[in-house]
Amino acid sequence: MSEPLAGKTVVLGITGSIAAYKGAEVARRVMDLGADVHVTLTRAGAEFITPLTLRTLTGNPVTVSMFDAPDEWQVKHVSLAERAAAVVVAPASADAIAKLALGLADEFVYALVLATRAPLVVAPAMNDKMFAHQATQEHLQQLRARGARIVEPETGRLASGAVGRGRLAEPETIAAAVAEVVAPGDLEGVRVLVTAGPTRERLDPVRFLSNRSSGKMGYALAEAAARRGAEVTVVSGPTAIPAPARCEVKRVETASEMRREVLRRFPKCDVLIAAAAVADYAPATVEDSKLKRGEKSLTVKLHPTKDILADCGGRKKEGQFLVGFAAETEDLLARAREKLAAKKLDVVIANDVSRAGVGFESERNAGYALLAGGEEIELPEMEKPAFAERILEVVVAGLQGKRRRRRKR
Ligand SMILES: Cc1cc2nc3c(=O)[nH]c(=O)nc-3n(C[C@H](O)[C@H](O)[C@H](O)COP(=O)(O)O)c2cc1C
């Protein structure tokens, strides 16, 4: 298991939501990432889950009231505020969100948030009306504007039995957000080029051939690499999702435009992550005017496009690191290995796109990282941002390995 939070202290504040019991699972997931977790419950939080559960789970004392041992509070609150690599409030009640936005300090966790300079992650959980209320939304906006990371609640069945938006995000997603805000900075100074999204191959002025890629995987990779300190450029096909933060984005439409922009930037990058689903074929001719409806069948001749990744593999200089994706529906690992070798990649991420709920258009992904040295790392099903972090860990380890080998020579 990878441990991006190894050696880090994370403070988890559990507040008065019916989802407080899921706070135990959040603690577990954050611990799984290597962190030393210190839980603090608000008085309302302690109505829903016992300190005993959390103390047993984390192996650390659990703070409930600031006033239990007043002399201890000063020591604890200052030392935790200084040691914390991140503070995560999960679940965050509407009341908690309001207090955090206003800077109130009537509970240990709220006082700690004011006393620390560690990043803050907030995972709201409440009924849909409370979540949608303008007051809650304004408070969340204030927190966002101050740099807090809001892990959006999901739509689903709520405690009331009604279906709506306000259900606590998955503990795994919250833990991944904590890992992301505690960015390791291990790509500082590294220039990363990412391709993302589909391409569109024009048939006529209004029609095109494309594929189901959403761009989510590429954008998650770009954003995660930037957070780790990389200088990131994304060459992106058409997508409907917001541009990744802190990245330069070059928008393209066709495979040939993508090729031109990637080859132009490739010599200056240290890492290329090719997550775009580039068309393998494009119409041999593009009609100048819209094709008219007719009675007879229509044959469209397709020509193969040029293989961008193979071109980059051929031009790869020592020290450059290439990551490709193999989206397959059969013989996944064998085909991915062929791609790894044929295109001179360092890593190929093999995705079985025939599996329901993962891959194209989905929020989740699953697969394997196959390394040029023969190693095979299973990447279990997870949300794409968490999946991106795992891929970057493989990239960081690979880059370090390359540098070590170069130094030895
Ligand atoms: C059974 C029950 C369930 C509750 N569930 C929620 C909830 O899911 N989300 C929420 O914002 N408030 C919920 N509340 C209300 C909060 O517990 C209340 O606003 C409390 O003051 C929150 O305090 P805290 O944010 O300091 O923990 C619930 C209250 C009760 C009695």
Side-chain angles (χ1 to χ4, degrees), residues 245-314:
R246 287 172 283 193
C247 301
E248 186 196 326
V249 180
K250 175 70 193 169
R251 298 203 180 271
V252 297
E253 198 171 314
T254 65
S256 89
E257 285 165 18
M258 184 166 279
R259 180 171 187 273
R260 190 181 64 228
E261 296 302 331
V262 170
L263 291 186
R264 180 180 289 167
R265 289 167 174 80
F266 181 66
K268 288 212 181 95
C269 80
D270 303 303
V271 177
L272 169 67
I273 306 179
V278 183
D280 294 323
Y281 291 92
T285 52
V286 181
E287 301 298 326
D288 289 334
S289 48
K290 188 179 161 207
L291 286 162
K292 298 275 177 298
R293 173 188 286 279
E295 294 300 313
K296 285 198 224 129
S297 59
L298 179 72
T299 304
V300 176
K301 191 169 179 191
L302 301 176
H303 277 174
T305 58
K306 289 194 176 138
D307 188 332
I308 305 174
L309 196 49
D311 282 348
C312 291

Side-chain angles (χ1 to χ4, degrees), residues 14-20 41-48 89 91-99 106-107 109-110 124-127 130-131 159 166:
I14 299 179
T15 72
S17 154
I18 190 70
L41 295 169
T42 61
R43 281 161 297 175
E47 296 286 332
F48 293 88
V89 182
S93 64
D95 181 70
I97 291 165
K99 285 177 174 161
D106 64 347
E107 296 275 5
V109 61
Y110 309 135
M126 65 202 70
N127 87 34
M130 288 170 88
F131 182 68

Side-chain angles (χ1 to χ4, degrees), residues 16 51 77-78 92 102 118 131 149 169 172 241 297 301 340 343 397:
H77 142 271
V78 171
L102 288 169
F131 182 68
R149 172 73 183 274
E172 181 192 15
I241 55 175
S297 59
K301 191 169 179 191
L340 180 74
K343 303 189 186 192

Side-chain angles (χ1 to χ4, degrees), residues 92-254:
S93 64
D95 181 70
I97 291 165
K99 285 177 174 161
L100 290 168
L102 288 169
L104 300 191
D106 64 347
E107 296 275 5
F108 185 83
V109 61
Y110 309 135
L112 186 95
V113 166
L114 294 178
T116 186
R117 292 299 168 261
L120 173 66
V121 176
V122 176
M126 65 202 70
N127 87 34
D128 52 344
K129 301 272 187 328
M130 288 170 88
F131 182 68
H133 197 284
Q134 201 177 340
T136 306
Q137 289 303 319
E138 281 173 13
H139 291 143
L140 285 170
Q141 198 43 42
Q142 281 178 33
L143 292 173
R144 268 188 213 101
R146 271 185 233 144
R149 172 73 183 274
I150 311 299
V151 185
E152 296 294 335
E154 293 175 357
T155 301
R157 191 161 296 281
L158 303 168
S160 61
V163 173
R165 181 143 184 250
R167 197 172 70 180
L168 185 72
E170 289 299 324
E172 181 192 15
T173 309
I174 299 168
V178 174
E180 282 168 33
V181 299
V182 185
D186 49 12
L187 286 174
E188 210 78 59
V190 176
R191 291 161 303 182
V192 176
L193 180 60
V194 179
T195 70
T199 62
R200 284 180 181 172
E201 309 305 326
R202 295 169 204 149
L203 269 169
D204 71 12
V206 296
R207 299 184 180 92
F208 54 79
L209 295 179
S210 190
N211 59 63
R212 291 169 53 204
S213 166
S214 61
K216 281 180 193 150
M217 193 64 244
Y219 281 23
L221 280 158
E223 220 168 283
R227 252 191 323 267
R228 285 171 177 248
E231 200 182 294
V232 184
T233 305
V234 186
V235 179
S236 172
T239 66
I241 55 175
R246 287 172 283 193
C247 301
E248 186 196 326
V249 180
K250 175 70 193 169
R251 298 203 180 271
V252 297
E253 198 171 314
T254 65

